[in-house]
Amino acid sequence: MASVPEGFQLIEEGSARMTAPEANEVFYNPVQVYNRDLSIAVIQTFAERRLRETFVKDEIKRLRKDAPKDAATDKPWLTAHAEDNANKIDWPQRLREAPKESGLRILDALAASGLRSIRYAKEIVGIREIVVNDLSSSAVELAKTNVGYNGLPHDLVKVQQGDAMDVMYQARREGAEKFDVIDLDPYGTAAPFLDAAVQAVSNGGLLCVTCTDLRSLIGIEYGSTYGRYRGMPSRSSKYVHEMAVRLVLQAIDDSAARYRRGMEPLLSVVPAFYLRVFVRIWDRPQMAVDAPLRRAMVLQSGFCPSFWV
């Protein structure tokens, strides 16, 4: 392990070690440790689930091919038997044995010091490549230093300087490779990045989205809420944090529907001054058609807790 350069401090988190300027030129907030811990757990579970889904699809094909001609091989029967076979497999172990080429390709779009990506690389099994991106040249240089400080190979963790939206829009081009996981952790709202993100993520891929503009989402500073999320917060209600989550999920779902894609929410939390949502994006036009059926108007009294849906 290399020594800490003069004028820098050492920060340890999870399995990662990060050097940061003592003047704290690149933002580091210990409150976000929970965010990164949770993200690691979710992405690890997603990697195992994705491997299982691939197995089930292949198993259905095998069962259909090998079944006797007079056997009842309708889709429910095939799916049930494929799932039974999948239940017999140790998926964490299977993931460890899987070839690297089948692993996840992750974009840390707003990486700053690179700490999140370093933890992903060191603590998540089943990663093929992590693209560590930031617009700031000082952040990119620090991320490169930290990747080297942790001894991570460059073919696993690729550090680059670029505009996050440009990077994601380039991934939607014909022939370009999309990302299996896109992590958006901006300082403020993630709304400007959603249109690019829902196009740059692969079919069934995972979006991990943080919004730190919670004062806007819960109605304390509501002037910009509608412009960002096409909805208004319920300031006088007792469910302000739930409504904040629903506003962000609606914004993601609306963005996906424009491109005949659908959103599947997995997990949403509001642990502190920010919220974090994990969703999957699917190439399912019917989900886009059904998007209005997942909407409702909430009428909230401004004088008491009463509301109507």
Side-chain angles (χ1 to χ4, degrees):
M1 184 69 68
S3 60
V4 179
E6 184 178 353
F8 283 68
Q9 60 179 323
L10 177 65
I11 297 172
E12 297 186 65
E13 183 182 305
S15 299
R17 291 187 173 188
M18 181 184 82
T19 57
E22 293 178 350
N24 196 27
E25 295 175 2
V26 176
F27 188 74
Y28 173 77
N29 191 339
V31 176
Q32 293 279 13
V33 173
Y34 174 78
N35 184 327
R36 291 183 281 270
D37 289 344
L38 182 63
S39 299
I40 289 168
V42 172
I43 295 173
Q44 185 65 78
T45 302
F46 168 71
E48 295 170 10
R49 177 181 291 188
R50 194 183 73 141
L51 188 64
R52 179 190 172 108
E53 290 170 349
T54 301
F55 170 86
V56 169
K57 289 180 182 179
D58 293 341
E59 190 70 358
I60 288 174
K61 293 178 182 178
R62 185 190 68 79
L63 290 170
R64 181 181 290 114
K65 179 181 179 181
D66 296 345
K69 292 183 179 180
D70 58 344
T73 55
D74 58 350
K75 187 173 182 180
W77 184 92
L78 291 169
T79 301
H81 281 70
E83 290 288 352
D84 286 343
N85 292 339
N87 290 335
K88 302 172 184 177
I89 297 175
D90 182 347
W91 288 106
Q93 180 62 32
R94 176 68 67 90
L95 187 62
R96 286 190 288 270
E97 297 171 352
K100 181 181 178 181
E101 293 73 22
S102 65
L104 299 175
R105 185 167 185 254
I106 301 176
L107 171 64
D108 188 357
L110 305 153
S113 64
L115 175 60
R116 180 183 298 270
S117 294
I118 292 168
R119 289 199 60 189
Y120 288 176
K122 301 188 76 171
E123 300 178 36
I124 298 175
V125 178
I127 293 179
R128 172 164 57 96
E129 179 186 47
I130 303 177
V131 177
V132 185
N133 181 81
D134 203 277
L135 185 60
S136 166
S137 59
S138 60
V140 169
E141 289 305 312
L142 182 57
K144 289 180 178 179
T145 299
N146 288 328
V147 168
Y149 189 76
N150 283 270
L152 295 171
H154 295 295
D155 63 337
L156 174 63
V157 182
K158 175 186 175 183
V159 183
Q160 65 180 34
Q161 182 177 4
D163 182 281
M165 285 187 282
D166 286 345
V167 173
M168 290 186 286
Y169 278 131
Q170 289 172 14
R172 69 177 182 169
R173 296 180 304 177
E174 184 177 354
E177 184 179 12
K178 295 186 176 183
F179 297 97
D180 301 305
V181 180
I182 295 180
D183 197 307
L184 298 175
D185 188 17
Y187 183 75
T189 178
F193 305 98
L194 297 180
D195 181 79
V198 298
Q199 297 181 74
V201 70
S202 61
N203 182 30
L206 180 68
L207 290 186
C208 314
V209 181
T210 299
C211 291
T212 62
D213 59 332
L214 203 57
R215 292 175 64 84
S216 171
L217 284 163
I218 66 176
I220 296 176
E221 299 172 357
Y222 58 85
S224 58
T225 311
Y226 186 82
R228 293 172 179 173
Y229 304 104
R230 292 299 183 266
M232 292 300 293
S234 54
R235 182 176 181 179
S236 60
S237 74
K238 295 182 179 180
Y239 53 87
V240 288
H241 293 97
E242 178 184 348
M243 181 60 77
V245 167
R246 290 181 181 276
L247 285 170
V248 174
L249 292 177
Q250 172 188 266
I252 298 173
D253 198 24
D254 284 348
S255 297
R258 295 189 191 103
Y259 307 100
R260 297 174 62 79
R261 309 190 89 184
M263 179 201 72
E264 176 191 0
L266 300 180
L267 178 66
S268 304
V269 295
V270 188
F273 59 87
Y274 64 91
L275 64 79
R276 179 79 159 166
V277 299
F278 301 89
V279 304
R280 296 183 75 176
I281 303 296
W282 296 95
D283 289 335
R284 296 176 181 172
Q286 190 61 44
M287 292 182 71
V289 173
D290 293 340
L293 303 179
R294 299 190 291 272
R295 303 287 192 273
M297 297 295 294
V298 180
L299 303 179
Q300 171 64 54
S301 170
F303 304 98
C304 71
S306 299
F307 67 94
W308 296 265
V309 179

